[in-house]
Amino acid sequence: MRTIPRALVIGDPIAHSLSPLLHQTWLKQTKINGRYEKKNIAYKDLSKKLKALFQDDGFVGANITLPHKRAALQIADEVTTRAEKTGSANLLYKKNNKIIADNTDIAGFITPLLKRRSGQQLKQASVLVFGAGGVARAVLIALQNADVQQITLCNRSNERAEKLVESLDQKTGITNLQTLDWKNRNKPKGTVDLVVNASSAGMTGVESLDVNLDFCQKEALVYDLVYKPLLTPFILQASSKNLKVIDGLEMLISQARPCFKVFFGIEPPKDTFVRNKLESYLIKENDGSE
Ligand code: NDP
């Protein structure tokens, strides 16, 4: 009898993760007899419990979320360059009996952008990024990989932004990053073509990002990585100024695509079915009916 492939998303807390709905939708669409579930594992048990899971024949891998993305690197036998650069892994999987740690957030972030801008347009863009946590690091690496010439980082705590830029300068040897003091967040120098919210501001339960987008030129794009709620105050502000927007669901879905392929062996469908499913779930959740 063939074992059923089984993957998990692991974090603490994990109850509200959208990953099971996302992967289960693709499993149904592709008619694969596989499982994708969520599991809460406390930080102190992570190594022991993950190693035990990987002993199981049917276990094909895990998505890793907060607060374990950094610790996941320690559990792996091999770490991809992407995961090593970001200092975190959102994907652990089995290959030739080894545990591989990978990071799909970098590609997950850039893919939706490349649907709106050519590589050449991106290179010449001036980008302003808010936030200096885990995902901001992946965003900066993605922008550097795309050869973006002007990248400015602004964070509520200036010191954290400076530290992040310093550590990336040392790691990549590329020095196209500059910081903008939080007090000047509404008056960046020069034109801004793309604004990214890579902070948790605007997430349900967190105050909204206190930034006025009046500085944006009219063709600017506003990309909010927060997807709960789907329509964040930042996205609503951008739309009210007729700016083009990209919401956090796009990155969530595009970072999950290579994970599904690794777990279940085939590409997930490219249609909008999964997006519609997640959107209606988030709308219901926001109404309090989910
Ligand atoms: P971290 O906890 O590592 O970092 C949080 C960042 O948000 C810090 O820079 C913090 O600033 C800043 N911040 C928090 N509250 C505010 C506020 N009220 N105003 C301004 N800045 C604030 O989180 P992550 O980097 O892991 O994640 C950030 C967000 O990105 C989350 O909402 C997460 O859901 C989302 N995300 C989305 C993904 C997707 O696929 N769409 C993937 C990964 C993350 P300070 O340093 O001053 O505290």
Side-chain angles (χ1 to χ4, degrees):
M1 204 176 70
R2 277 191 62 204
T3 43
I4 293 173
R6 172 175 169 246
L8 289 171
V9 57
I10 289 167
D12 183 17
I14 199 64
H16 296 292
S17 171
L18 288 184
S19 296
L21 178 59
L22 201 166
H23 286 273
Q24 284 161 12
T25 302
W26 281 335
L27 281 170
K28 268 192 206 145
Q29 279 187 285
T30 52
K31 300 188 171 61
I32 290 174
N33 187 15
R35 280 158 61 193
Y36 188 104
E37 289 147 358
K38 60 188 168 202
K39 193 172 176 68
N40 194 311
I41 300 185
Y43 192 81
K44 65 175 176 40
D45 301 325
L46 188 70
S47 171
K48 194 176 76 195
K49 291 205 170 164
L50 261 174
K51 282 183 180 156
L53 281 166
F54 272 102
Q55 297 296 314
D56 177 355
D57 255 2
F59 189 70
V60 289
N63 285 120
I64 309 294
T65 185
L66 293 177
H68 303 319
K69 282 186 169 186
R70 190 168 281 274
L73 295 183
Q74 314 305 324
I75 289 150
D77 302 305
E78 275 174 27
V79 175
T80 63
T81 314
R82 297 183 283 250
E84 199 267 325
K85 261 190 183 172
T86 39
S88 71
N90 67 335
L91 170 65
L92 287 178
Y93 64 96
K94 230 191 278 189
K95 191 178 171 188
N96 305 329
N97 274 330
K98 283 188 173 157
I99 303 174
I100 316 291
D102 202 354
N103 190 308
T104 65
D105 282 340
I106 299 174
F109 166 77
I110 211 78
T111 306
L113 266 180
L114 289 172
K115 287 185 185 152
R116 274 97 171 168
R117 297 285 185 269
S118 69
Q120 192 56 30
Q121 283 172 322
L122 259 189
K123 265 188 197 178
Q124 288 159 357
S126 162
V127 184
L128 175 59
V129 179
F130 289 101
V135 78
R137 191 177 171 95
V139 165
L140 295 177
I141 293 172
L143 292 169
Q144 284 193 324
N145 288 348
D147 264 344
V148 176
Q149 275 151 30
Q150 274 194 60
I151 311 169
T152 305
L153 182 66
C154 184
N155 189 51
R156 185 177 57 177
S157 121
N158 292 319
E159 200 190 334
R160 197 165 171 198
E162 273 152 26
K163 274 199 182 140
L164 177 54
V165 165
E166 209 178 277
S167 96
L168 281 172
D169 280 352
Q170 279 171 6
K171 196 129 205 157
T172 61
I174 312 169
T175 52
N176 59 348
L177 300 175
Q178 51 182 344
T179 55
L180 173 72
D181 225 75
W182 181 247
K183 68 173 186 303
N184 294 327
R185 62 194 177 280
N186 292 327
K187 35 185 183 191
K189 281 189 205 136
T191 55
V192 175
D193 306 298
L194 167 66
V195 184
V196 181
N197 176 28
S199 81
S200 5
M203 213 174 120
T204 308
V206 183
E207 59 189 296
S208 53
L209 189 64
D210 183 16
V211 169
N212 183 331
L213 288 167
D214 279 350
F215 58 77
C216 283
Q217 53 131 338
K218 70 178 192 330
E219 289 83 16
L221 250 179
V222 174
Y223 189 173
D224 196 339
L225 306 193
V226 172
Y227 52 84
K228 271 190 183 189
L230 187 58
L231 294 176
T232 62
F234 202 52
I235 289 272
L236 292 172
Q237 187 199 157
S239 302
S240 75
K241 293 183 192 303
N242 291 321
L243 299 169
K244 295 267 182 293
V245 298
I246 308 180
D247 64 39
L249 257 193
E250 291 209 30
M251 173 170 170
L252 186 79
I253 296 169
S254 69
Q255 63 77 33
R257 286 189 173 281
C259 303
F260 186 88
K261 170 92 199 292
V262 159
F263 296 149
F264 303 110
I266 68 165
E267 300 275 356
K270 287 205 166 70
D271 59 29
T272 56
F273 190 76
V274 81
R275 159 115 205 161
N276 298 343
K277 189 103 184 169
L278 294 173
E279 242 184 68
S280 57
Y281 176 87
L282 286 171
I283 291 164
K284 277 190 199 150
E285 189 184 57
N286 209 35
D287 289 347
S289 54
E290 191 67 48

